[in-house]
């Protein structure tokens, strides 16, 4: 036979934000206790209200089965200390141990016959353990016992326990609270006790007591009820799922009610009204038929009032009016200064102790925004407007409104800009300079907005990488991962074409030779300028600063890999293209990667990869660099790092042509000649296609090598006895590898 089990833990108000975690914790601890006792938990239902947590477990057995437990111990002859420790762990005496042979060696075993137990008895022990071990974000002690650190900690004082297995009470006691079958209903709508018969009538009897114990049902009631009262008033609810969940966590009998506030408050920016209503009062807001914010709010009462909720609405209206009056006061006061005047206060805000103030940062942003426009990093932008927007984009940080609602930074700057008469271009750039925030956020598309947003994010990345404040696996206090994703989205979704490394390397924060030398000095310590002349400083640290720029670019590409993985783009292919060096135009990089991925999904691509890996393994085994050896003499760690350097390209091409043009001292075999001819065709074709950014054509050119390289390996002996043949064939494989490397570093491709 089996029975259903009900556990209700009743207390004073559980904060709404803690209830979801508490449901997970209750299920986890209950499963832990049953697993330890050898009982299969089966189907569990966990509910929460502001005053209770409830768990129902279906189909628990009446008793556990008897089991035999065997534990392997130390070998015979082990020290007494080890043997005694094993006996304590196993809970047996020495005389109870058995000796068995294990791999030719006598070994002690503890064999325990554990009889079956009544599930009711197990639960009586499990409930106190669950309550004692329960983890809350914040908890308290209470009553006379609270002077002891051994007393119970709970989110709020624990006041009742209902524990029923079938129709019977599971008897236990925790911190003076004894289990039973009696609970309480709604604080106002129901007086007296409610006796629960079993798990099946729990929800029904509580509903009769004006308590909807299922949190998801309460959420549905709030969601539909709020939409209904808005519709009845000719309005539309502004949906807010977080607010639905929070209101469900604040009520046991939710009743959505619509109220009105004075229309005069609509002069305040709508986001301010919505945030005031949401954060301070947990109210929903509504819009009219035109989509404009209406002077209406929806509160969620926890009672059904006899007057239809009129008194409840009136009380909430008065509280909201007081909050909105504060917001209107902030709005009026802040507009008495221009953003430029507010910006003077940024000198009092430290950006970072090693990076100066926000006032320093705004000067860098203005410099960058203008450069991005003039250097056509962001084409078709008005440099003057972008520069001014960057100069004042942080000014709202010192306003009263943002001081009260930090979530509105940037947004309020846009409103203040319009209020003082700045252009829409400047106001939008100020408003949007934090965007995109997160993967799903809107990406700015106006050129001036892009310039300011890009400047802000790149400055953050370069600055914090420059002072070694890089993200770790678990910590990212300066949101640099978000900034990197923002940079890649700004570039890709707006089709920006520029060298990311060059742009980062020339940022003011990484340019000691510019007027931002004071910022540079903050990074490297006081007195740095005095220890070395300005020229020496630049010469000594240009390489270090280039390293920082490289790290920033690599970090952005790494974030791009994570971002693109969700879109089905393989990270190893991004590595394969990026590893060639010189490909830091993200639009071009991603286009190459997508063409490469399409190619690798074909039979030609898969077979060419196999041929490449075979060629690369032979060359590695022979330590043969071929024409690439000439490139290696440049001193670069990566032999191909300079293939895109315009000054080196002519030299490299000349050396490779000279080497390939040498007359052979023997007649090549047909398969050998076929590969030579294929390379003569495919190499220049791939190069031309890449130059024209026709990456599909570049892959098609590579596909022409698939058959010849397969035939070469089938018919030609690479390590021939004759030195000249061996050298030429190794050179040919090196040339094949170099041809493939024009498209991607195939050594980075998995499979």
């Amino acid at each position: 036979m089996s029975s259903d089990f009900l556990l209700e833990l009743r207390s004073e108000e559980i904060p709404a934000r803690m209830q979801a975690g508490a449901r997970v914790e209750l299920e986890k601890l209950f499963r832990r206790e049953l697993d330890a006792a050898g009982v299969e938990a089966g189907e569990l239902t966990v509910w929460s209200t502001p005053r209770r947590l409830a768990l129902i477990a279906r189909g628990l057995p009446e008793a556990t089965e008897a089991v035999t437990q065997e534990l392997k111990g130390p070998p015979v002859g082990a020290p007494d200390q080890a043997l005694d420790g094993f006996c304590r762990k196993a809970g047996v005496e020495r005389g109870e141990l058995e000796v068995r042979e294990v791999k030719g060696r006598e070994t002690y075993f503890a064999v325990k016959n554990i009889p079956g137990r009544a599930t009711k008895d197990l639960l009586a022990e499990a409930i106190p353990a669950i309550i004692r071990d329960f983890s809350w974000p914040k908890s308290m002690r209470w009553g006379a016992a609270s002077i002891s650190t051994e007393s119970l900690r709970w989110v709020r004082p624990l006041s009742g326990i209902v524990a029923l297995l079938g129709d019977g009470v599971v008897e236990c006691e925790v911190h003076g609270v004894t289990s039973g079958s009696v609970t309480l209903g709604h604080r106002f709508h129901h007086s007296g006790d409610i006796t629960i018969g079993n798990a099946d009538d729990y929800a029904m009897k509580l509903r009769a007591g004006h308590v909807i114990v299922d949190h998801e049902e309460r959420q549905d009631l709030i969601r539909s009820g709020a939409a209904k009262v808005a519709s009845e008033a000719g309005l539309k609810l502004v949906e807010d799922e977080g607010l639905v969940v929070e209101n469900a966590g604040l009520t046991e009998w939710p009743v959505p009610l619509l109220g009105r506030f004075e229309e005069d408050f609509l002069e305040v920016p709508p986001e301010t009204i919505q945030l005031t209503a949401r954060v301070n009062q947990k109210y929903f807001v509504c819009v009219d038929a035109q989509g404009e914010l209406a002077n209406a709010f929806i509160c969620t009462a926890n009672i059904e009032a006899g007057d239809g909720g009129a008194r409840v609405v009136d009380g909430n209206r008065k509280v909201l009016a007081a909050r909105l009056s504060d917001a209107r006061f902030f709005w009026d006061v802040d507009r008495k200064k221009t953003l430029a005047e507010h910006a003077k206060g940024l000198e009092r805000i430290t950006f970072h102790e090693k990076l100066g103030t926000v006032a320093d940062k705004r000067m860098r942003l203005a410099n960058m925004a203008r450069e991005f426009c003039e250097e056509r990093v962001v084409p078709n932008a008005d440099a003057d407007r972008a520069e001014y927007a960057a100069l004042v984009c942080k000014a709202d940080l010192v306003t009263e409104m943002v001081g009260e609602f930090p979530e509105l930074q940037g947004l309020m700057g846009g409103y203040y800009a319009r209020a003082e008469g700045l252009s829409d271009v400047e106001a939008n750039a100020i408003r949007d300079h934090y965007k995109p925030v997160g993967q799903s956020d809107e990406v700015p598309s106006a050129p001036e907005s892009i310039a300011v947003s890009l400047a802000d994010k790149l400055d953050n990345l370069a600055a914090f990488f420059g002072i070694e404040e890089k993200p770790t696996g678990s910590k990212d206090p300066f949101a640099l991962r978000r900034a990197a994703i923002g940079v890649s989205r700004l570039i890709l979704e707006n089709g920006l074409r520029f060298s990311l490394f060059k742009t980062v390397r020339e940022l003011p924060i990484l340019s000691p030779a510019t007027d931002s030398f004071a910022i540079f000095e903050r990074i490297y310590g006081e007195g740095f300028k005095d220890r070395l002349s300005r020229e020496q400083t630049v010469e000594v640290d240009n390489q270090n600063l280039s390293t920082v720029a490289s790290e920033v670019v690599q970090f952005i590409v790494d974030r791009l890999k994570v971002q693109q993985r969700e879109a089905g783009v393989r990270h190893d292919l991004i590595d394969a293209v990026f590893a060639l060096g010189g490909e830091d135009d993200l639009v071009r990089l991603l286009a190459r990667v997508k063409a490469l991925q399409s190619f690798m999904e074909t039979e030609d691509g898969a077979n060419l990869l196999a041929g490449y890996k075979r060629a690369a393994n032979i060359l590695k085994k022979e330590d043969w660099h071929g024409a690439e050896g000439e490139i290696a003499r440049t001193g670069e760690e990566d032999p191909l790092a300079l293939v895109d350097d315009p000054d080196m390209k002519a030299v490299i091409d000349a050396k490779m042509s000279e080497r390939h043009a040498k007359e052979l001292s023997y007649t090549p075999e047909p398969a050998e000649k076929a590969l030579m001819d294929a390379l003569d065709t495919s190499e220049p074709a791939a190069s031309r296609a890449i130059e024209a950014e026709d990456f599909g054509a570049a892959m098609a050119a590579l596909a022409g090598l698939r058959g010849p390289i397969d035939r070469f390996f089938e018919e030609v002996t690479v390590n021939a006895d004759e030195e000249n043949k061996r050298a030429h064939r190794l050179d040919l494989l090196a040339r094949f590898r170099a041809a493939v490397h024009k498209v991607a570093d195939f050594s980075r491709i998995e499979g």
Side-chain angles (χ1 to χ4, degrees):
M1 280 184 70
S2 63
S3 301
D4 296 336
F5 171 65
L6 166 68
L7 174 65
E8 181 196 73
L9 304 175
R10 196 173 68 255
S11 68
E12 298 303 318
E13 264 67 17
I14 304 170
R17 68 182 184 278
M18 296 186 189
Q19 289 175 31
R23 295 193 297 268
V24 173
E25 181 76 356
L26 180 56
E27 178 174 349
K28 181 188 76 173
L29 292 176
F30 184 76
R31 289 190 183 279
R32 181 197 71 180
E33 293 298 314
L34 264 63
D35 287 346
V39 177
E40 178 64 41
E43 178 191 350
L44 296 183
T45 300
V46 185
W47 291 320
S48 66
T49 81
R51 302 178 66 200
R52 68 199 82 219
L53 290 173
L55 178 146
I56 294 176
R58 301 287 182 185
L60 296 187
E62 290 192 351
T64 63
E65 295 182 1
V67 295
T68 298
Q69 188 179 66
E70 295 185 357
L71 296 174
K72 180 184 174 184
V76 173
D80 288 344
Q81 186 177 5
L83 193 56
D84 290 340
F86 172 67
C87 289
R88 283 194 301 272
K89 178 182 176 182
V92 297
E93 300 294 330
R94 277 200 188 192
E96 299 175 81
L97 296 177
E98 296 182 7
V99 177
R100 300 178 188 172
E101 188 174 295
V102 178
K103 295 181 179 180
R105 189 173 188 182
E106 292 187 327
T107 304
Y108 287 113
F109 277 80
V111 180
K112 297 175 67 177
N113 294 312
I114 303 174
R117 294 184 63 194
T119 301
K120 190 173 183 179
D121 295 338
L122 291 174
L123 292 170
E125 294 176 4
I127 293 168
I130 290 170
I131 294 172
R132 283 194 305 269
D133 294 347
F134 211 97
S135 176
W136 293 98
K138 288 186 178 181
S139 57
M140 62 179 289
R141 305 182 195 276
W142 64 93
S146 63
I147 60 174
S148 169
T149 57
E150 299 301 315
S151 64
L152 178 68
R153 296 185 67 93
W154 198 248
V155 62
R156 297 289 187 269
L158 187 68
S159 58
I161 301 172
V162 173
L164 297 172
L165 182 63
D167 300 331
V169 173
V170 177
E171 296 180 356
C172 62
E173 182 270 332
V174 182
H175 195 69
V177 180
T178 304
S179 63
S181 60
V182 176
T183 187
L184 298 177
H186 193 281
R187 188 185 296 277
F188 304 113
H189 281 309
H190 190 276
S191 60
D193 296 340
I194 297 175
T195 300
I196 307 299
N198 52 51
D200 287 334
D201 68 9
Y202 174 67
M204 177 187 66
K205 287 193 172 182
L206 277 175
R207 187 183 300 275
H210 273 73
V211 173
I212 298 172
V213 71
D214 184 344
H215 52 277
E216 291 186 356
E217 183 182 350
R218 295 198 308 278
Q219 290 171 20
D220 290 339
L221 286 171
I222 293 168
R223 201 178 288 112
S224 60
K228 182 174 181 289
V229 296
S231 177
E232 289 171 349
L235 303 172
K236 183 180 179 182
L237 176 73
V238 175
E239 295 180 0
D240 189 330
E241 193 59 26
L243 204 51
V244 168
V245 172
E246 188 166 16
N247 274 286
L250 294 170
T251 57
E252 290 194 320
W253 193 259
V255 180
L257 300 169
L258 183 138
R260 296 279 187 172
F261 57 83
E262 291 81 355
E263 285 194 12
D264 291 350
F265 287 124
L266 293 177
E267 298 172 2
V268 178
E271 293 87 353
T272 302
I273 295 174
Q274 183 173 4
L275 199 60
T276 299
R278 184 189 200 281
V279 173
N280 295 128
Q281 303 306 130
K282 320 305 179 193
Y283 300 159
F284 297 92
V285 294
C286 303
V287 294
D288 59 23
Q290 288 72 44
E292 300 293 329
L293 188 70
N295 64 322
F297 67 92
I298 297 174
C299 59
T300 307
N302 192 31
I303 59 173
E304 250 179 40
D307 60 357
R311 291 179 63 187
V312 173
V313 168
D314 189 56
N316 281 283
R317 180 191 60 77
K318 291 176 181 177
V319 175
L320 180 59
R323 294 287 189 180
L324 292 179
S325 293
D326 291 342
R328 183 164 59 186
F329 173 76
F330 297 149
W331 171 242
D332 292 339
V333 168
D334 289 341
R335 285 182 297 156
K336 291 179 180 179
K337 289 183 179 181
T338 65
L339 285 176
E341 290 170 332
H342 279 299
K344 295 175 183 177
L346 296 175
E347 296 175 358
R348 303 191 303 270
I349 302 178
T350 300
F351 177 53
H352 187 280
E353 60 181 0
K354 295 182 181 179
L355 298 169
T357 65
V358 178
D360 295 326
K361 179 179 175 67
R362 82 180 184 116
M363 298 305 295
R364 295 197 302 274
L365 296 186
N367 178 305
M368 284 186 277
R370 173 166 284 279
E371 285 293 317
F372 290 170
C373 297
E374 292 180 343
E375 298 297 322
R376 298 190 61 76
V377 168
V378 182
N380 306 317
D382 185 319
D384 291 336
R385 288 180 170 175
E387 179 182 35
Y388 190 76
L391 198 63
V392 298
C393 68
K394 302 293 182 183
D396 66 355
L397 294 176
V398 296
T399 63
E400 297 288 342
M401 188 73 82
V402 174
E404 179 71 13
F405 298 113
E407 304 95 325
L408 295 178
Q409 57 189 276
L411 182 70
M412 289 311 303
Y415 278 113
Y416 293 136
R418 285 189 175 83
E420 72 171 81
L422 295 183
S423 68
D424 286 346
V425 167
E426 291 160 316
N428 290 341
I430 294 166
R431 178 195 64 195
D432 294 340
H433 82 276
Y434 290 109
K435 292 183 178 180
V437 180
Q439 186 62 41
S440 59
D441 193 24
E442 178 187 13
V443 175
S445 58
E448 296 78 12
S449 300
I450 297 168
V452 181
S453 178
L454 196 60
D456 187 41
K457 292 166 179 58
L458 287 177
D459 182 78
N460 283 350
L461 288 163
F464 288 112
F465 269 72
I467 59 172
E468 293 294 321
E469 289 284 358
K470 305 169 188 175
T472 63
S474 59
K475 294 182 179 179
D476 185 11
F478 304 110
L480 299 185
R481 290 189 182 93
R482 187 171 67 192
I485 291 172
V487 168
S488 65
R489 290 192 66 201
L490 281 164
I491 292 171
L492 294 172
E493 294 184 33
N494 289 293
L496 304 182
R497 306 299 305 274
F498 63 91
S499 165
L500 189 55
F501 173 79
K502 180 177 181 292
T503 300
V504 173
R505 179 61 188 83
E506 293 175 356
L507 294 178
I509 197 69
L510 297 182
S511 301
T514 69
D515 291 338
S516 65
F517 188 77
I519 302 298
F520 179 81
E521 191 171 54
R522 287 192 186 95
I523 297 175
Y524 289 92
E526 294 294 330
F528 187 82
K529 186 176 180 181
D530 297 331
R531 293 196 297 273
L532 290 174
S533 71
R534 189 183 185 97
E535 291 74 18
Q536 287 174 314
T537 300
V538 174
E539 182 179 349
V540 169
D541 279 278
N542 265 338
Q543 185 174 353
N544 292 337
L545 295 173
S546 292
T547 300
V548 172
S550 296
E551 291 176 343
V552 169
V553 172
Q554 182 64 61
F555 183 71
I556 293 171
V557 172
D558 286 343
R559 293 303 96 200
L560 175 66
K561 285 190 286 188
V562 174
Q563 178 190 17
Q564 289 296 316
R565 187 179 301 147
E566 297 178 2
V569 178
R570 287 170 48 180
H571 68 91
D572 60 319
L573 301 185
I574 295 179
D575 280 339
V577 174
F578 186 69
L580 294 182
E583 189 60 280
D584 61 346
D585 173 336
L586 295 191
V587 173
R588 180 180 160 105
L589 170 68
L590 200 56
R592 287 183 72 162
V593 169
K594 289 181 177 178
L596 179 60
Q597 180 154 327
S598 296
F599 178 56
M600 295 311 301
E601 290 170 354
T602 67
E603 184 181 355
D604 281 344
N607 288 338
L608 188 68
L609 176 62
Y612 169 88
K613 290 186 179 293
R614 185 172 178 183
N617 287 337
I618 292 171
L619 293 169
K620 182 179 180 181
K621 183 178 179 181
E622 298 296 324
D623 193 26
W624 193 270
H625 298 286
E628 292 172 354
E630 301 293 340
I631 306 171
R633 294 177 194 168
T634 61
E636 289 292 320
E637 182 179 342
D638 179 358
L640 292 175
L642 298 176
V643 295
D644 288 325
D645 186 323
D647 296 329
M648 290 296 298
K649 189 174 187 302
V651 175
I652 295 167
D653 287 347
K655 286 186 175 292
M656 292 182 75
S657 296
E658 177 186 344
R659 187 154 187 161
H660 298 155
K662 287 181 180 177
E663 273 192 32
L664 288 179
S665 58
Y666 69 95
T667 301
E669 295 183 24
E672 189 175 359
K673 183 65 167 63
L675 181 56
M676 294 165 62
D677 292 342
L679 284 167
D680 288 341
T681 301
S682 295
E683 276 184 306
S687 296
R688 287 193 301 270
I690 290 171
E691 187 68 26
E693 299 191 7
D694 186 350
F695 302 116
M699 302 305 156
L702 280 191
L705 295 174
R706 176 259 174 110
I709 193 66
D710 288 349
R711 183 183 172 196
F712 179 84
F713 283 127
E714 289 172 5
E715 300 180 15
V716 178
T717 302
V718 176
N719 286 318
D721 293 335
E722 299 90 336
E723 181 60 30
N724 58 341
K725 288 185 179 181
R726 176 177 172 275
H728 178 261
R729 289 167 184 173
L730 288 172
D731 263 355
L732 195 56
L733 291 182
R735 186 182 170 195
F736 165 72
R737 179 177 62 182
V740 172
H741 276 179
K742 288 181 181 293
V743 171
D745 181 350
F746 271 45
S747 67
R748 304 290 184 113
I749 300 177
E750 297 173 0

